[in-house]
Amino acid sequence: MTIIKAISGLIGLIIPLFIGGTIELPENILLVWICLFSFGISGKLLLQLFEKPFLNSYPIIEARDRHPRFLNLFSTYILFLGLGSQLGEILFYQKVGVLPITLIIFGISIYLGAHLFSPKKWLF
């Protein structure tokens, strides 16, 4: 996991150099951030709905064990990519644009969606 964090942080440091600066904050970006934050929670609810449709009492153990691990890995990669790009923008351009904040919110929402709901119960 630390190797993934280090690699994604280094890639995040390089992202501002490829973009050539920060992307400016648009006017309606708060609505986009709210939608991104709700993505992780709604994604976890959809996974639970497909794993146990109609409150089926027979759980699919392999799928349920695999999903939180995959979501945890994906959220860690996205979160450290956002932190690395935020650090890169501060170092190279002395300001923070919309891309690092969006990546950080996206990673946190996926992490909370993977760990907020109990996999032993159907919904919460």
Side-chain angles (χ1 to χ4, degrees), residues 44 47-48 51 62-73 114:
K44 179 64 175 178
L47 284 176
Q48 285 183 344
E51 285 174 6
E62 295 85 16
R64 193 175 30 184
D65 288 341
R66 192 175 348 124
H67 288 317
R69 277 189 262 148
F70 175 72
L71 290 174
N72 189 22
L73 182 71

Side-chain angles (χ1 to χ4, degrees), residues 36-53:
L36 273 179
F37 189 74
S38 64
F39 174 79
I41 296 169
S42 61
K44 179 64 175 178
L45 285 175
L46 285 174
L47 284 176
Q48 285 183 344
L49 283 174
F50 286 121
E51 285 174 6
K52 290 188 175 183

Side-chain angles (χ1 to χ4, degrees), residues 25-62:
L25 293 173
E27 291 180 12
N28 297 326
I29 194 64
L30 291 178
L31 182 63
V32 174
W33 284 342
I34 290 170
C35 292
L36 273 179
F37 189 74
S38 64
F39 174 79
I41 296 169
S42 61
K44 179 64 175 178
L45 285 175
L46 285 174
L47 284 176
Q48 285 183 344
L49 283 174
F50 286 121
E51 285 174 6
K52 290 188 175 183
F54 306 112
L55 297 174
N56 188 4
S57 62
Y58 182 71
I60 303 172
I61 296 171
E62 295 85 16

Side-chain angles (χ1 to χ4, degrees), residues 1 4-5 8 71-81:
M1 189 66 83
I4 293 173
K5 290 177 185 178
S8 58
L71 290 174
N72 189 22
L73 182 71
F74 188 66
S75 67
T76 302
Y77 177 74
I78 295 292
L79 182 64
F80 278 88
L81 192 70

Side-chain angles (χ1 to χ4, degrees), residues 106-120:
F106 191 52
I108 288 173
S109 76
I110 294 173
Y111 181 81
L112 287 178
H115 295 283
L116 191 61
F117 301 112
S118 174
K120 295 179 183 174

